[in-house]
Amino acid sequence: MARFQHTVTLAPVPRRWLESCLGMLHDLAEGTQADGARLRLPDGRLLPDLVLEQGRHPRPGARYRATAAEDGRPETDPTVTVLAWDRRRETAFEIVTQDDDPAHRARLVCVLGIRSVARPREAWLAATLRTSGGKGPKYLGGTGRLHLDLGSWWPSASGRARRPSRAPLSGTVTHALARATVTAVPRPAPDGRRRVTVKARLKGRSFARPLLPVVMAVVGRRAHRAFAEALDGAAEQWNAQAPGLVHKEGELPRAELTRALLAP
């Protein structure tokens, strides 16, 4: 087993801001009208690259397809299916992207959900990649799951609660040859930001299990340095963008999202 740990300092995201953004997304979707297969904004403008394939917009069972690719490539446009749509209980989507190239077929299925948009308690992301064709397809796929306990994240991040018995953010990635588990715990920093400690454990599987200690003995320091540098780079990008997003209030985020949806 290999273990990694690193702490980064991040700009905070207020809970009320997240609640406001999630509510805005629900309002925007529910204000959009289905005109046959095409979707229109409340002012009548058509969304150019999104069609309703089946179901009732935006209720559970509704399936949408992006239609941007028209260059003769194998079909890769994603489909989005509503699994749950209730702002007081649960909102969830399944996103499927499929590459039908005979040389290396691939199918990526992601399920994204949040429990209670009105008062977010938890969010999760599950992903499965399946491949076929070519050599060794099973070594190109895998599964992953990420779970965020929003009910304990903000109390832990603000220091109002003791260290949680379970990490507010946890995840797993499983491959034919390895399995990685990741946790993250936030604590307040003196400057008002959040210090987030990320821990990861890597276990070998199958014939790679006895090889992992040997590999770590050779590249252990380099692997730990790469882990820390990756987190530092992600934190730098977060701190460069998050404060600007958090300070956008009212109709500005909605207007920017509308412009993005209307862009061909």
Side-chain angles (χ1 to χ4, degrees), residues 80-103:
V80 179
T81 301
V82 179
L83 302 180
W85 188 265
D86 187 331
R87 69 174 69 207
R88 292 185 176 276
R89 295 182 180 179
E90 180 180 313
T91 300
F93 305 91
E94 179 188 69
I95 305 167
V96 178
T97 304
Q98 187 160 313
D99 188 342
D100 291 327
D101 189 332

Side-chain angles (χ1 to χ4, degrees), residues 24-224:
M24 179 269 293
L25 291 173
H26 254 259
D27 292 341
L28 181 61
E30 290 174 354
T32 304
Q33 301 297 320
D35 182 5
R38 304 309 300 269
L39 300 177
R40 293 183 181 274
L41 293 173
D43 60 9
R45 289 178 292 177
L46 280 172
L47 299 183
D49 298 329
L50 191 67
V51 296
L52 175 64
E53 283 196 331
Q54 70 176 35
R56 180 182 174 190
H57 171 75
R59 299 294 180 250
R63 186 175 69 196
Y64 309 85
R65 178 180 293 277
T67 60
E70 298 179 354
D71 55 4
R73 293 184 292 108
E75 186 64 65
T76 58
D77 295 334
T79 61
V80 179
T81 301
V82 179
L83 302 180
W85 188 265
D86 187 331
R87 69 174 69 207
R88 292 185 176 276
R89 295 182 180 179
E90 180 180 313
T91 300
F93 305 91
E94 179 188 69
I95 305 167
V96 178
T97 304
Q98 187 160 313
D99 188 342
D100 291 327
D101 189 332
H104 47 75
R105 290 188 173 90
R107 178 181 173 87
L108 176 63
V109 179
C110 297
V111 175
L112 175 66
I114 186 164
R115 186 150 290 124
S116 179
V117 167
R119 186 65 174 173
R121 297 193 301 273
E122 62 176 324
W124 63 92
L125 170 65
T128 302
L129 175 63
R130 294 284 183 262
T131 60
S132 61
K135 297 181 179 180
K138 75 174 183 178
Y139 296 115
L140 300 177
T143 62
R145 184 171 180 85
L146 193 66
H147 178 266
L148 176 58
D149 184 348
L150 294 165
S152 64
W153 178 272
W154 275 286
S156 177
S158 63
R160 294 195 302 268
R162 297 180 179 179
R163 290 189 178 275
S165 58
R166 297 177 58 183
L169 178 64
S170 61
T172 60
V173 177
T174 304
H175 181 265
L177 300 180
R179 177 182 173 88
T181 61
V182 181
T183 62
V185 178
R187 300 299 292 174
D191 60 0
R193 296 188 294 173
R194 306 292 182 252
R195 291 179 58 81
V196 180
T197 298
V198 182
K199 297 181 181 180
R201 294 186 301 173
L202 180 65
K203 292 183 178 181
R205 303 181 70 211
S206 185
F207 63 83
R209 186 189 302 271
L211 297 179
L212 182 60
V214 178
V215 173
M216 290 304 300
V218 177
V219 301
R221 289 186 178 180
R222 188 180 305 172
H224 282 82

